[in-house]
Amino acid sequence: ADIADICVVTSDNPRTEDPNAIIKDIIDGIPKDTKSKIIIEPDRRQAIYAAMEIASDGDSVLIAGKGHEDYQIIGSTKHFFLDRRVVQDFFQKQDKRLTRAWIEVNLSQVDRNFQLLFKDKPEDLKVMAVVKDDAVGHGMVEIAKAAVKAGCSYLATAFVSEAVQLRKEFDSFPILVFGERLNDEIPICIRHDLSIQVQSLEKAQLIDQLSEKQHYTAKLHFKVDTGMGRYGVRWDKAADVFKEINQLKNISIEGIMTHFAQSDEAVKDHANLQWQRFCEVVDQLEQEGIKPSLVHACNSG
C-alpha cells in the first residue's frame, strides 16, 4: 500500500472463512496515511479483472497471493509472480523509469548544510526557508521539516495550495505566501493563518475588510519595489503607503521586504543600489517610530 497507487482489496479466495472478516483484517493492516486509493471487491476474480481494467498503458499490476504461493490462476492460465522484495524493487524502479529525470535527496546532508549555514549566523538573525515549487523539486515537506529542525524561524512559498499543505504539517509555524494574491485566495490565507505579501493600499484594505468579517488580524509583509519591477510599492512612495496600511485595524504588518534583481551578477552595482533604496525606506519609517519586527531582503545571490 506504500508503493502502489491503487490497492484492490479482496477476500483471498475464502473456503470456510468469512470474506468480510478477511477484508476487514486487510484494511486494518493498511496505515491510514497510505498514499494508495483503496477499492474493495470481495470476489477475488472480479477484483483481479477490476485491477486490470483500471490499469492503463505503462501501468503495472501486481496480483499478490498467499505468502507460500508463487503463482495465480486466472481463468485457465497460470501466472507466476516473484517474491515481495523483488516486487517492491520493481515498482520503485518503475517510478523512476516513467520519468525522464529524478533527484535523490540525502536529508542527512541537508541537515549538515543547515548546520554549516547556522554556524556563523548572528544570534539575532532569523532565517526564512523558501520551499516554493516543491522546494525546487527537492520535496517541500521533507525540506521544510529539516529547515524547522535546524532552527529556521519562518517558511515561505509562492502558492496558496503549497502553503495550505505546509499548514497541515506545521500547526502554528509562521508561513509566508509570496506574490500577489487573488481576491478569492485571501479568505483561504486568513482561515489557515498564513502571512500575506502585500504591495498596494487597495489590496491591504480588502484584506482588512475580510479579516474583520472573520474576526481575525491578518499578518502582512509589505513589499518594496527597489528596482526589480515585479511586485511591490516603488521605493520613493513606499514609506507613505506603508503608514496608511499601518493604520488599518484588522491587519498587522509584521515584515517589510524587497527582492534583488541582479544579485547573482559578479558586479553588484544594481544590487547595492537596491539595498541602499531599501535601507532609506526602513530608516524613514524608523525615524517616525515605525519598526516592523521582520526586515528581509536576502535571496540566493
Side-chain angles (χ1 to χ4, degrees):
D2 287 334
I3 299 171
D5 296 309
I6 298 173
C7 280
V8 184
V9 179
T10 188
S11 58
D12 198 20
N13 277 340
R15 296 171 178 85
T16 59
E17 306 94 331
D18 177 7
N20 292 321
I22 292 175
I23 289 174
K24 182 180 184 302
D25 286 342
I26 295 172
I27 295 294
D28 289 345
I30 298 176
K32 292 182 179 179
D33 59 351
T34 178
K35 75 169 187 176
S36 288
K37 178 180 178 182
I38 306 298
I39 298 174
I40 297 174
E41 172 48 67
D43 184 283
R44 185 173 182 81
R45 187 186 183 99
Q46 292 302 320
I48 293 171
Y49 289 146
M52 298 174 86
E53 287 174 3
I54 291 170
S56 57
D57 290 345
D59 288 342
S60 299
V61 179
L62 165 65
I63 303 171
K66 293 180 179 177
H68 61 273
E69 294 176 344
D70 60 1
Y71 66 91
Q72 174 68 49
I73 296 176
I74 306 175
S76 59
T77 305
K78 182 179 286 190
H79 297 267
F80 290 90
F81 55 83
L82 304 172
D83 64 45
R84 295 178 181 179
R85 180 63 199 172
V86 176
V87 168
Q88 179 174 318
D89 291 343
F90 171 76
F91 269 87
Q92 291 174 339
K93 287 176 182 176
Q94 285 295 97
D95 281 344
K96 295 176 181 178
R97 205 169 63 185
L98 294 176
T99 184
R100 293 179 61 191
W102 66 89
I103 183 168
E104 294 183 3
V105 180
N106 185 332
L107 288 175
S108 296
Q109 190 59 51
V110 172
D111 292 338
R112 174 62 175 158
N113 290 344
F114 274 120
Q115 291 174 16
L116 293 172
L117 287 169
F118 277 69
K119 184 178 179 180
D120 300 318
K121 180 182 75 64
E123 187 174 348
D124 60 344
L125 176 66
K126 299 180 184 299
V127 176
M128 173 185 289
V130 180
V131 291
K132 64 181 182 177
D133 299 316
D134 194 32
V136 201
H138 291 70
M140 179 181 69
V141 172
E142 292 83 356
I143 298 299
K145 287 180 177 178
V148 172
K149 176 184 175 184
C152 289
S153 303
Y154 231 102
L155 296 172
T157 185
F159 299 104
V160 172
S161 57
E162 288 192 328
V164 170
Q165 184 181 351
L166 285 176
R167 176 56 72 227
K168 294 177 182 178
E169 299 287 339
F170 304 94
D171 184 41
S172 58
F173 200 81
I175 300 172
L176 170 65
V177 187
F178 287 128
E180 178 72 19
R181 300 277 57 83
L182 299 173
N183 291 350
D184 58 1
E185 291 180 318
I186 295 173
I188 300 173
C189 292
I190 294 173
R191 189 161 61 248
H192 289 88
D193 191 27
L194 304 174
S195 298
I196 306 169
Q197 176 182 313
V198 67
Q199 42 256 331
S200 72
L201 176 60
E202 294 75 19
K203 186 56 65 76
Q205 289 171 334
L206 176 60
I207 296 171
D208 179 69
Q209 294 168 10
L210 294 173
S211 296
E212 183 178 18
K213 289 181 180 179
Q214 297 193 33
H215 305 287
Y216 180 82
T217 300
K219 296 185 287 288
L220 306 183
H221 285 235
F222 181 81
K223 181 71 176 285
V224 181
D225 178 11
T226 55
M228 182 147 185
R230 185 169 62 184
Y231 293 120
V233 180
R234 185 180 160 95
W235 71 90
D236 53 356
K237 300 177 181 177
D240 290 337
V241 175
F242 185 104
K243 286 184 287 185
E244 288 191 70
I245 294 176
N246 203 38
Q247 298 297 315
L248 299 174
K249 295 181 179 180
N250 301 288
I251 62 99
S252 171
I253 304 182
E254 64 177 4
I256 185 169
M257 58 186 287
T258 194
H259 195 68
F260 296 112
Q262 297 178 337
S263 60
D264 290 322
E265 302 292 330
V267 178
K268 305 291 185 184
D269 291 351
H270 188 71
N272 289 334
L273 176 61
Q274 285 189 259
W275 177 244
Q276 178 185 341
R277 290 168 173 170
F278 185 56
C279 289
E280 288 173 357
V281 175
V282 174
D283 290 344
Q284 185 178 343
L285 292 172
E286 286 190 353
Q287 290 172 9
E288 299 188 39
I290 303 172
K291 188 173 182 179
S293 59
L294 298 173
V295 179
H296 54 110
C298 291
N299 63 357
S300 299

